[in-house]
Structures are given as C-alpha cells and as structure tokens.
Amino acid sequence: MRYQHAWKDVPPAEIPADGQANLEATIRKAVGAGINHIETARGYGSSEMQLGRILPEFPREDLIVQTKVSPREDPKEFLETFEKSLELLRLDYVDLFSLHGINNHDLLELSTRKAGCLEVAEQLRREGRVRHIGFSTHGSCAMITDAIGTGAFDYVNLHWYWVNDRNWPAVEAATRQDMGVFIISPNDKGGKLYEPPAKLAGLCAPLTPMEFNDLYCLLRPEVHTLSIGAARPEDFDIHLSAVGKFNDAAWLVPKIEARLRAELEQSLGVEWMARWEEGIPEWDRVPGEVNVWEILRLLNFARSLDMVDFAKMRYNLLGQADHWFPGKNAAEFSEAALGEVVAANPFSNEIPSRLREAHALLYEAPKKRLSESE
C-alpha cells in the first residue's frame, strides 16, 4: 500500500515510469531476499494494477499473493470486486484472500450470514481461484476472537506488537484453530519505528527499535508473518538485519524489554503500569464514545519513551476513521459520567486529568487514514 502511485484507480498510462520501476525493484529485492508473501488489496488504489506488471514474471509457485476485499451488502458486488482484483493482478488465483476490515460484529454478521460474502469466498476456493480464506481486522480483541471462533477462516491479519499486546488472546485463539497469524503494520502502528525518538533508540541498543519489534514478534511461534510496508527496496534492509540476529534474540529481546518496562515504571509509577487498564470499558460503552483505553495507552508512551510523534499520529485519527479507528478523542467529556464507567479502575479519580493532559499534548488537526489522504 506504500509503493503504489495513487489511492484510486487510474489509467495505466498515468503510472510514472520511475514509480513503476521503484515498485518492481522493491518486489525483486523482496523475492531475491526470500520474502515471498506479497500483500495488497482492492482498496489500495493502483497497487494491484502495478503489481500485475511484475508478478507474472516470477514462477507462480514461488509467490504467496494475498489480496483483500471489503464485505458488501450485495454478494454479487463482492464477487465482481474480487474478479477485478484478479484481472488487475494478472493471476489465475490468489493464495490468500481476506475479507477486509471485519472491525465490528455488524461487519462479521454481514460477512458470515447465509448467502453472504463468506459463501462467495468459499465458492471461489472450490473453483481454485482462492487457496485460503482469512480476514483482516482493526477490531477489538473480543470481536476478533468471535470471528476466529466461527471456524470459517484459515488466517487472520491483526494488530499485535510491543506497544500494543492487547490482542494476544486473539492470537492464542487463532493458534488453537491452527490459523495463520499475520501482523499488520508493526513498524507504523507499532510505534512509528522508522522515525524513533532518541530515548527509545537508546533503550533498544544494540538493536534498533524496528529490529527489537521484529524479533519481539518473531520469537512467538504463534506469529507467522510481519508486514514490512516497504515503499522502496532499501526498506527491507533493517528487517533483513533483524533476521540475521535471530539467534541472539532469545536473550537480547527480554533484556531490552525489561529495560523499556523499567523506564515505563520509573516514569509513570509501578502501580500505574501494573493496573492502569483495569476496568476500562470499550469506547462504545463510554459516554461520548471517548476511547479512554487508547488515549491512556498513547499518553503512557508519549510521557515515558518520548514517543510523542507516534502518539499524535494515532490520537488525531480518533473520530476520523469510522470503524477502522473507532471512538473519539478527549476534547469533550462529562467528568461525572466518565467517573461512573471507570469506577472500577484504581485510578478513576486521575483519569479525567490524564485525558485532558493527553488532549493538550497530542491534539493537532484531525488526520485521515492513509488510504483517504489523497
């Protein structure tokens, strides 16, 4: 999604030659390094069309190609959208096909109901145009676990990494179902690690923050694939370096993690770090739909590890990205109403002031999701 020309379909003639050359060089670098899982989506604008110019040059059995289509009310439209993907990719089949953005229970029901999108995907698998069916999600852990519990999917694309391990129970549920686990955006949503603050970089030494996060994830046998989000060939270099250090990861990663957690406790307090999440409801059960848990998480990392730019990037998506990043920021809330829903938290009296602090520190002009930014 980061190397294509446009976030919308454009005529092939509009693709700049240098942009296409960069995409093709990126794919060749990946395949040459042994990275054979190439992921895209119908919602990624010109990505599929541009990939279609390079993918047929490789032996088909050497690639794992994944595309994604968002659920539709009309299964016929869902099918037509998939067929457009296959046409643009210039492939006879995709190895992995995701129902894209099952982010809440309404979308899960839309996907799995009788004569719905999942049945279309299953028919495509019977026809040989799809090998495996999965889903991608930005949803809550409970929602993801419910989707996994249907037994309908072979794999899941979800968020889980060092700065946000809330979805680990969903990863464990996927493991029990023998599902593949693909981690979405560990470099960007996982901390904006391509531009780490000096404090974070120092605490992660001798690894870079990106290497640390790669190895933190890959040490878990439950995790199979990390998305790199490459925009140019050199974007693979740090990740290849991390893989080269895998033999040292079992002792090095816990040492760095302990150092980071010690800094969190030093900056924020041992008791706060041990118990700040207790009794915090999901955003849809908070008056005003304030995403309290997410705001406190972002404030924790901004205050302790100087991850202010990352926290700002995420905070200013609140209320701007529909079900992809739900809940609202802390611009407005009733302290009395909030107090009632967080009463079980041992820091309930502090939470309003922390939310105000977060808004003062992090609020800027509201952001759009990357796919809506052009």
Side-chain angles (χ1 to χ4, degrees), residues 13-198:
E14 289 189 14
I15 305 297
D18 58 346
Q20 182 65 24
N22 173 72
L23 181 148
E24 295 186 10
T26 302
I27 297 299
R28 293 187 189 281
K29 173 74 173 283
V31 175
I35 300 168
N36 61 352
H37 184 155
I38 299 167
E39 188 232 19
T40 184
R42 183 75 287 268
Y44 294 172
S46 64
S47 173
E48 290 175 321
M49 176 181 67
Q50 292 184 257
L51 285 170
R53 297 180 179 182
I54 179 69
L55 296 185
E57 296 185 16
F58 298 96
R60 184 64 185 88
E61 63 274 12
D62 289 352
L63 301 178
I64 300 171
V65 180
Q66 174 181 359
T67 197
K68 309 188 293 292
V69 173
S70 298
R72 304 290 204 276
E73 285 281 353
D74 183 355
K76 182 181 178 182
E77 181 184 352
F78 180 77
L79 174 60
E80 291 171 348
T81 304
F82 168 79
E83 290 175 334
K84 181 66 173 178
S85 288
L86 214 57
E87 174 190 343
L88 291 169
L89 290 167
R90 302 185 190 179
L91 299 176
D92 295 326
Y93 69 91
V94 290
D95 304 89
L96 306 173
F97 179 44
S98 286
L99 278 66
H100 189 31
I102 300 182
N103 298 331
N104 55 47
H105 283 89
D106 288 343
L107 289 166
L108 176 60
E109 194 280 330
L110 175 67
S111 301
T112 58
R113 68 190 182 187
K114 185 173 176 58
C117 298
L118 182 60
E119 289 193 11
V120 172
E122 290 168 344
Q123 179 61 36
L124 291 169
R125 177 161 54 187
R126 288 190 291 272
E127 294 170 357
R129 293 196 282 171
V130 165
R131 296 290 172 88
H132 303 281
I133 300 168
F135 71 100
S136 66
T137 180
H138 292 214
S140 69
C141 186
M143 198 291 305
I144 300 170
T145 303
D146 287 345
I148 289 168
T150 65
F153 301 102
D154 301 316
Y155 69 93
V156 58
N157 293 18
L158 51 67
H159 291 274
W160 178 85
Y161 21 72
W162 187 75
V163 299
N164 186 356
D165 62 0
R166 200 181 193 192
N167 285 336
W168 185 249
V171 175
E172 292 179 314
T175 301
R176 290 191 293 272
Q177 296 272 12
D178 194 29
M179 292 171 62
V181 174
F182 176 108
I183 304 301
I184 302 171
S185 192
N187 311 311
D188 188 50
K189 281 73 170 181
K192 204 178 179 184
L193 300 179
Y194 44 84
E195 295 176 351

Side-chain angles (χ1 to χ4, degrees), residues 211-342:
E211 289 175 321
F212 164 73
N213 198 44
D214 280 352
L215 295 171
Y216 175 86
C217 295
L218 291 175
L219 276 175
R220 276 69 179 176
E222 299 89 346
V223 171
H224 306 113
T225 303
L226 308 183
S227 60
I228 292 176
R232 56 195 66 82
E234 57 267 29
D235 287 350
F236 294 108
D237 294 344
I238 292 178
H239 304 287
L240 295 173
S241 173
V243 172
K245 298 171 182 176
F246 189 81
N247 288 341
D248 294 326
W251 68 268
L252 192 52
V253 167
K255 182 177 179 180
I256 294 171
E257 184 181 6
R259 193 186 303 153
L260 291 168
R261 297 202 182 280
E263 183 60 32
L264 285 162
E265 292 177 350
Q266 174 67 29
S267 298
L268 304 172
V270 173
E271 186 72 7
W272 172 265
M273 287 309 303
R275 304 187 64 189
W276 73 269
E277 297 178 89
E278 290 182 18
I280 301 293
E282 293 288 346
W283 63 272
D284 56 354
R285 293 190 288 118
V286 176
E289 299 186 343
V290 178
N291 197 331
V292 176
W293 185 91
E294 177 67 4
I295 295 168
L296 294 178
R297 177 182 78 96
L298 295 175
L299 182 63
N300 285 345
F301 288 111
R303 289 180 59 186
S304 62
L305 300 178
D306 293 347
M307 298 175 72
V308 177
D309 287 346
F310 161 67
K312 284 182 176 180
M313 177 182 72
R314 303 306 294 164
Y315 184 80
N316 290 286
L317 281 168
L318 286 167
Q320 305 299 314
D322 194 28
H323 57 84
W324 291 96
F325 197 62
K328 297 180 181 177
N329 66 28
E332 297 180 8
F333 60 88
S334 164
E335 189 164 333
L338 178 66
E340 292 182 9
V341 298
V342 301

